[in-house]
Amino acid sequence: MLPLNVQPLAVPRMLPACLGFVAGFIDACTFFALFHFFVAQVTGSFVIAGGQFAELDKTMLVPVLAIPTFFLMGLSTTLLLAWSGRTGWTTLTAALAVELALVVAFFAVGMIGAPFVYANAPLAVASSLLGISAMGVQSALVRLLMRGVASTNVMTTNTTQLAIDAAEWLIASHCKRVMLDDPGVQADYVTIRGRFTGLFSIMAGFLGGTIGGALGYRWFGLSCLLSAIAIL
């Protein structure tokens, strides 16, 4: 059950795809600008944090801080949405505004400190944590406020689900051809097709974002983040 008055919305398919693009774009930028660090998900941070127990001389501060930062932003977003007293699109707009503010702050700090030469430099750490915070907010708002929408910033589970949906779509297509007069089979086919295409649009958006972010950073440096800001 969602907390208090927070209710998920049926959103246009373009919105999750755009958020996927934003996540991929920011992830690619930070990969090149911030020492091959990913801000859109924290799985890598768990690996790095664990590895630092064996290689203490290679300690990098940000991956260790990324885990509690991402967690706290998800927690804070949930509490803020639950206590805001708002509903529907107003709540979603407010959550996106918080993410936008964090991305703008990330952009501002990054532009001041770039190019970064030391991973644990204060501005490098601050910039990384602001990017992580923005993705933590996005991850929470999608899960809380968008009905039936998959993650827009973590593609591992999405890839598995897309494979499952593809197999179910093939099975449903066969059943649809064999049982033309069965309305239940026809309805299942439409549902599975919609689920597949919705998830595919998010993943395509994320991949497009990573390509756009990589090319944008190569051509314009961190100023390319203005594109992600404009979309938000």
Side-chain angles (χ1 to χ4, degrees), residues 9-213:
L9 299 165
V11 297
R13 186 171 295 169
M14 181 62 68
L15 180 53
C18 285
L19 289 176
F21 182 91
V22 167
F25 195 99
I26 293 175
D27 220 16
C29 287
T30 54
F31 178 79
F32 289 108
L34 296 167
F35 311 97
H36 292 181
F37 178 70
F38 298 103
V39 299
Q41 47 82 31
V42 294
T43 303
S45 295
F46 275 95
V47 176
I48 295 172
Q52 286 180 356
F53 283 97
E55 298 184 341
L56 297 178
D57 59 323
K58 296 182 179 180
T59 298
M60 185 176 173
L61 186 59
V62 171
V64 176
L65 295 177
I67 299 169
T69 299
F70 199 95
F71 175 86
L72 288 174
M73 291 311 299
L75 185 149
S76 300
T77 301
T78 304
L79 292 176
L80 287 172
L81 293 177
W83 293 338
S84 67
R86 298 172 176 176
T87 59
W89 284 97
T90 305
T91 308
L92 180 57
T93 302
L96 288 172
V98 173
E99 180 182 354
L100 173 61
L102 288 167
V103 174
V104 170
F106 167 44
F107 168 73
V109 174
M111 291 299 291
I112 293 170
F116 299 109
V117 295
Y118 179 50
N120 289 343
L123 288 180
V125 172
S127 182
S128 300
L129 294 183
L130 285 167
I132 292 164
S133 297
M135 291 299 100
V137 171
Q138 177 170 312
S139 185
L141 74 86
V142 168
R143 187 167 182 84
L144 286 170
L145 299 177
M146 297 187 185
R147 184 180 302 142
V149 173
S151 173
T152 58
N153 59 300
V154 180
M155 295 299 117
T156 304
T157 303
N158 285 357
T159 303
T160 302
Q161 187 60 53
L162 190 71
I164 294 171
D165 289 345
E168 291 185 345
W169 192 8
L170 289 173
I171 295 170
S173 297
H174 172 72
C175 293
K176 178 174 175 286
R177 288 193 299 269
V178 173
M179 295 177 280
L180 294 175
D181 298 328
D182 190 328
V185 170
Q186 305 299 318
D188 287 344
Y189 173 83
V190 172
T191 299
I192 294 169
R193 182 183 62 186
R195 191 168 65 229
F196 177 90
T197 55
L199 183 54
F200 182 82
S201 68
I202 292 174
M203 295 179 66
F206 189 91
L207 178 60
T210 60
I211 295 171

